[in-house]
Each structure stands twice: as structure tokens, then as C-alpha cells.
Amino acid sequence: SAMDSDFVCVYTHKTLYIVEMLKEVLADNNIESYVMNKQDSSYHFGSIELYVMPQDEARAKEIILEFDKNSI
């Protein structure tokens, strides 16, 4: 779809609240992101992906590196 081609996946995780936390951190840095939950709700297979606009990708990845260092 058009939306997929416009956005870049910068993070994947199995735990929704981790991805939601990261979304907040990005928002604090004025980076808009959206969550794509590819998990099967009954079995929790698959992962949750976080997407940003291409122009925010480099900055988002820097923030994610810091985020990963600070979260366990």
C-alpha cells in the first residue's frame, strides 16, 4: 500500500508496551511514528513494528540506540 512505502520500520519488539514507550520517547523528540501490530492476538506470535517517516529515520535510530541501552 502507499502508506507502507512512505514509512520506514525502525524497531520491532514482541512486547507492545515497550513499543508504546518508544513511541512516546520519539514523540517527545518531535518524531511522529505509528505502531503496526502484526501479532496474532490469541497466541502472541509475530512482532510489533514501529514506523517513522524516512526523513526522521536517522534521528529515530539514534534515539532507539539510547532507548535500548536504558531499557532491559
Side-chain angles (χ1 to χ4, degrees):
S1 72
M3 190 165 81
D4 288 338
S5 62
D6 290 339
F7 286 85
V8 187
C9 180
V10 288
Y11 195 72
T12 61
H13 205 281
K14 289 193 282 286
T15 308
L16 181 60
Y17 85 87
I18 298 281
V19 179
E20 294 282 4
M21 269 169 56
L22 180 56
K23 190 181 190 333
E24 291 295 319
V25 172
L26 290 175
D28 288 343
N29 288 274
N30 300 310
I31 296 175
E32 189 183 347
S33 63
Y34 81 93
V35 175
M36 171 86 76
N37 191 339
K38 294 192 168 171
Q39 269 188 359
D40 180 302
S41 57
S42 36
Y43 300 107
H44 298 291
F45 287 131
S47 58
I48 297 134
E49 300 177 348
L50 192 67
Y51 287 81
V52 299
M53 294 294 282
Q55 63 266 29
D56 292 325
E57 182 182 4
R59 179 88 182 95
K61 284 183 170 171
E62 285 175 28
I63 293 164
I64 289 163
L65 277 174
E66 286 301 308
F67 178 82
D68 273 341
K69 264 192 271 185
N70 295 325
S71 65
I72 293 152

